[in-house]
Amino acid sequence: MPTLIFDCDGVLADTERDGHLPAFNETFEEFGLPVRWSDEEYAEKVKVGGGKERMRTLLTPDFVAAAGLPADPAALDEQVAGWHRRKTEIYTGIIRSGSIPPRPGVRRVAAAAHKAGWTLAVASTSAEASVRSVLELAMGPELAAHFSVFAGDVVQRKKPAPDIYAFAVQRLGLDPAGVVAIEDSRNGMLAALGAGLACAVTTSAYTGKEDFTGASLVVTSLGDPPPKETVTRVLSDPLDVRPGPYVVLADLAVLLTVGGASESTTSRPPVDGPLDPGPLGPPHPRPH
């Protein structure tokens, strides 16, 4: 059966600006560190995969001296690990408060995929506790229970290295040709492509201007039909998928066909009906 693997931050919920950034800054304040990241600075930090890795970008000799940090590398690693544990606690509290909504369409599409028998997973280089909190927020407890989660330090190299996706594929016993990854960043896309996966991109708060050459589909969001109604805008469609006002599972199934060229239902991975809108509304017509 085909597989749908979601990234977490920026895909399940737009968590970077309103979740991770304030959690980092609150952590810095609690530990008395002489830094607060601005929105503009954090827009660059998100290009670094992994929270501890972002924190380590601070560790110039001048910063270490100004903050009174140990020069010994092992002791410094312990400091960063402690900062990151606390940051994860703060971040998961923000997520559990419900102040950050799920992104449009993620629950609808995942529910349709589950109903159609697709395998579901999340692959992220964020801490596992953070990923699970966002997954439950976005999907609800019942649907979230059907996801496999691959996160944090289960691999050494973070995105854009393909390791986290290759690890998920290996652990689940998947054929990469049967997997669609949904990402929001160039680094994530490169990781998915490097693992041999098809990749659809839903741009997020910090990634709208990134280069997504190589993605099979780039949209502003998966969108939702009424009553939630968020209309997706197609930014790149090299396979001529031509989704309607919102992306449906059948659109993502096209990405698994050879070059996206075959439109017959027999050549596609199975979906729940020809258009499979999920539980929120009737199908919209495909304008082929």
Side-chain angles (χ1 to χ4, degrees):
M1 297 298 288
T3 300
L4 195 56
I5 303 183
F6 293 83
D7 175 42
C8 179
D9 297 307
V11 171
L12 299 181
D14 217 338
T15 52
E16 292 289 5
R17 175 173 284 146
D18 297 321
H20 285 290
L21 175 56
F24 276 116
N25 282 339
E26 186 173 336
T27 300
F28 297 152
E29 183 175 5
E30 285 190 10
F31 281 88
L33 300 174
V35 61
R36 302 292 182 273
W37 283 333
S38 68
D39 189 68
E40 293 76 16
E41 289 170 326
Y42 193 64
E44 292 302 311
K45 296 297 181 184
V46 296
K47 298 175 183 178
V48 178
K52 290 191 293 293
E53 289 74 13
R54 291 175 194 172
M55 288 175 160
R56 287 192 182 106
T57 66
L58 296 171
L59 301 180
T60 64
D62 288 345
F63 183 89
V64 169
L69 298 173
D72 175 65
L76 200 53
D77 283 346
E78 289 182 11
Q79 290 273 359
V80 172
W83 300 343
H84 190 251
R85 282 192 297 272
R86 178 57 183 145
K87 180 260 172 183
T88 299
E89 292 172 352
I90 295 168
Y91 172 78
T92 54
I94 293 171
I95 296 301
R96 288 169 182 159
S97 75
S99 61
I100 302 176
R103 290 205 65 193
V106 292
R107 185 181 296 192
R108 171 180 57 80
V109 169
H114 174 61
K115 184 178 180 182
W118 290 42
T119 300
L120 295 171
V122 174
S124 171
T125 48
S126 291
E128 184 175 343
S130 298
V131 172
R132 289 190 180 277
S133 66
V134 177
L135 176 63
E136 188 160 320
L137 165 78
M139 299 298 170
E142 184 175 345
L143 183 56
H146 295 286
F147 278 75
S148 297
V149 175
F150 304 95
D153 295 327
V154 294
V155 294
Q156 289 189 338
R157 297 191 305 166
K158 304 297 176 73
K159 298 174 184 179
D163 300 30
I164 190 68
Y165 281 113
F167 182 80
V169 166
Q170 187 272 328
R171 280 299 182 94
L172 293 173
L174 303 175
D175 178 356
V179 181
V180 176
I182 301 183
E183 274 286 353
D184 74 303
S185 69
R186 175 172 171 79
N187 278 350
M189 178 199 72
L190 292 173
L193 296 180
L197 314 184
C199 184
V201 171
T202 61
T203 57
S204 60
Y206 290 118
T207 67
K209 296 182 179 179
E210 294 186 358
D211 179 5
F212 293 114
T213 302
S216 297
L217 180 67
V218 183
V219 294
T220 52
S221 76
L222 296 177
D224 268 323
K228 295 184 177 182
E229 194 161 19
T230 301
V231 175
T232 190
R233 184 161 59 92
V234 177
L235 304 178
S236 177
D237 188 11
L239 301 185
D240 198 31
V241 176
R242 290 186 282 170
Y246 50 95
V247 175
V248 296
L249 186 61
D251 298 325
L252 299 177
V254 172
L255 308 187
L256 297 180
T257 63
V258 178
S262 174
E263 289 296 313
S264 70
T265 56
T266 56
S267 66
R268 293 185 182 185
V271 295
D272 185 30
L275 297 176
D276 191 22
L280 296 184
H284 60 264
R286 289 175 60 86
H288 284 285

